[in-house]
Amino acid sequence: MRLDGPHAAAGCRGGAKSALQSRGFESDSGDALDTFLQQLINGLTLGSVYAIVALGYTMVYGIIQLINFAHGEVVMIGAMVAYSVIVALVGAKTGLPPLAIVLAGLVAAIPVCMGVGYALERVAYRPLRRAPRLAPLITAIGLSIVLQHVAMIVWTRNPLPYPQIVQSVSYHLTSSPSGATITNVQVAIIGGSLAIMAGLLLLVYRTKLGIAMRATAQNQEVAGLMGIDINKVISLTFVIGAALAAVAGVMVGSYYGIAHYQMGFVLGLKAFSAAVLGGIGNLGGAMLGGLLLGVIEALGAGYVGDLTNLCNLSGWSDALAKRCAEDQNLTLFGSNYQDVFAFLVLIAVLVFRPSGLLGERVSDRA
């Protein structure tokens, strides 16, 4: 079985979570407001994960103009390491609170991912820093494949079910008892993502390291002449991005309840698209692009069935009216086409605004 990211993972979690992610909230009352609110919450949750991963892409690109296509695999490694720790603690019956067990998995995943990020930069990317841009790009793709197969050897090729030890509690957003809800897990993901984004902005714009990063992004040679250790700054950028990837991996595994050695491929591709959508090399653009991409996917998945329902045109054809009498859901496209809408929007933005929604600001793109 192949798992290419959070969408495929949702299908392995079970009926409730899969339906929630793929088609959105469906109540017997058919309240349009509840449907919209539920899809919006789902989109913000997914978009928060995209934004965190996109920040890793955009930081590296802002510093050395490199698309690190192995970044998605760092997310996968974070999810896998956290899975191993959580399973070990649950199996050992330590008596720790569920939240403490998940945090222990996160604490273990962060340094491992940071080590992987540093190793990638030091061993693979640094020797190619002066090479033509095609060389590090191909190297990044190759490293992505290598990390996938290493994970397959260590954790097998089978999807690994995350222990659902944190009890999910739903909170109603409307007065309807069957209306739109938000869970404590979704609140944690959205709130945690916003806090991480704010912390990263403070790091980049309010610390000496941030000044060094922005100076390196603007001109490496001049920054070096001013006493900045260019190699150290670039390595720290990779390390910080890898730490963000570890957090995203634990979020995905905990929310969708599954991990797989190929889970980082499509997730990384979506996050990279989010960074391009907002403006590659722009921190604010990465955040905006990630949130927008998640919302677009969720709304597209929730409404594509209604928008392409041929029964809306049943008055034009007797044959179609007969078919619709038997099946009221005669649709052209289902929720599995949600990726198409996200990338169509991305293509449209790049056609009319190639630099992304917020553009690329050279002076502070780190």
Side-chain angles (χ1 to χ4, degrees):
M1 179 178 180
R2 177 170 178 167
L3 178 66
D4 285 337
H7 302 301
C12 302
R13 181 181 174 95
K17 183 63 70 179
S18 176
L20 184 65
Q21 175 62 22
S22 299
R23 298 190 52 168
F25 174 79
E26 295 181 5
S27 62
D28 294 334
S29 63
D31 191 337
L33 177 60
D34 283 328
T35 302
F36 175 78
L37 287 177
Q38 189 65 69
Q39 291 303 123
L40 184 62
I41 293 299
N42 295 339
L44 289 175
T45 304
L46 182 60
S48 297
V49 177
Y50 287 163
I52 292 180
V53 183
L55 286 172
Y57 278 106
T58 206
M59 286 177 64
V60 172
Y61 182 85
I63 292 288
I64 57 175
Q65 288 74 56
L66 168 69
I67 305 299
N68 181 18
F69 279 114
H71 191 63
E73 275 55 54
V74 180
V75 177
M76 175 269 297
I77 290 175
M80 291 295 197
V81 172
Y83 164 82
S84 299
V85 173
I86 292 173
V87 169
L89 292 177
V90 171
K93 298 181 179 179
T94 58
L96 292 173
L99 182 59
I101 294 177
V102 175
L103 291 177
L106 176 61
V107 170
I110 289 177
V112 172
C113 289
M114 291 171 68
V116 172
Y118 176 79
L120 292 178
E121 191 279 328
R122 183 65 181 85
V123 176
Y125 296 139
R126 187 177 297 183
L128 299 175
R129 195 174 296 168
R130 303 296 180 182
R133 290 193 177 185
L134 186 60
L137 180 63
I138 295 175
T139 300
I141 297 174
L143 289 172
S144 173
I145 297 173
V146 169
L147 291 177
Q148 284 186 26
H149 284 78
V150 169
M152 181 182 67
I153 294 172
V154 175
W155 287 284
T156 77
R157 64 173 63 247
N158 300 319
L160 304 176
Y162 253 67
Q164 297 302 290
I165 57 177
V166 177
Q167 183 179 4
S168 180
V169 180
S170 299
Y171 304 97
H172 289 278
L173 300 177
T174 61
S175 58
S176 173
S178 59
T181 62
I182 184 172
T183 67
N184 56 336
V185 177
Q186 290 175 315
V187 171
I189 291 176
I190 296 173
S193 299
L194 293 176
I196 290 173
M197 296 174 196
L200 183 61
L201 289 176
L202 289 175
L203 172 67
V204 172
Y205 293 104
R206 293 291 184 270
T207 66
K208 291 183 178 180
L209 175 60
I211 294 174
M213 293 169 65
R214 287 183 283 132
T216 303
Q218 187 170 11
N219 192 308
Q220 292 188 22
E221 288 74 15
V222 174
L225 293 175
M226 298 299 293
I228 295 175
D229 189 338
I230 303 300
N231 291 329
K232 181 179 179 180
V233 170
I234 294 175
S235 295
L236 286 175
T237 302
F238 273 85
V239 167
I240 294 171
L244 298 178
V247 176
V250 176
M251 286 181 175
V252 172
S254 300
Y255 183 60
Y256 294 105
I258 202 165
H260 191 257
Y261 77 98
Q262 288 183 322
M263 65 180 289
F265 177 72
V266 170
L267 177 59
L269 183 61
K270 293 288 188 65
F272 169 67
S273 301
V276 175
L277 176 63
I280 189 69
N282 188 318
L283 290 180
M287 301 174 195
L288 176 62
L291 293 174
L292 281 180
L293 194 66
V295 171
I296 290 169
E297 282 192 21
L299 293 179
Y303 292 103
V304 63
D306 294 335
L307 294 176
T308 62
N309 193 342
L310 296 179
C311 292
N312 296 329
L313 306 176
S314 58
W316 294 11
S317 171
D318 293 337
L320 186 60
K322 292 180 181 180
R323 287 288 303 276
C324 291
E326 300 174 358
D327 183 9
Q328 294 294 325
N329 294 318
L330 191 61
T331 60
L332 283 177
F333 303 106
S335 59
N336 55 314
Y337 284 85
Q338 59 188 10
D339 295 346
V340 175
F341 294 96
F343 285 108
L344 284 177
V345 172
L346 174 64
I347 292 171
V349 170
L350 293 181
V351 167
F352 295 102
R353 188 174 175 81
S355 60
L357 294 176
L358 298 186
E360 181 179 354
R361 293 181 299 220
V362 177
S363 61
D364 57 0
R365 61 188 174 182

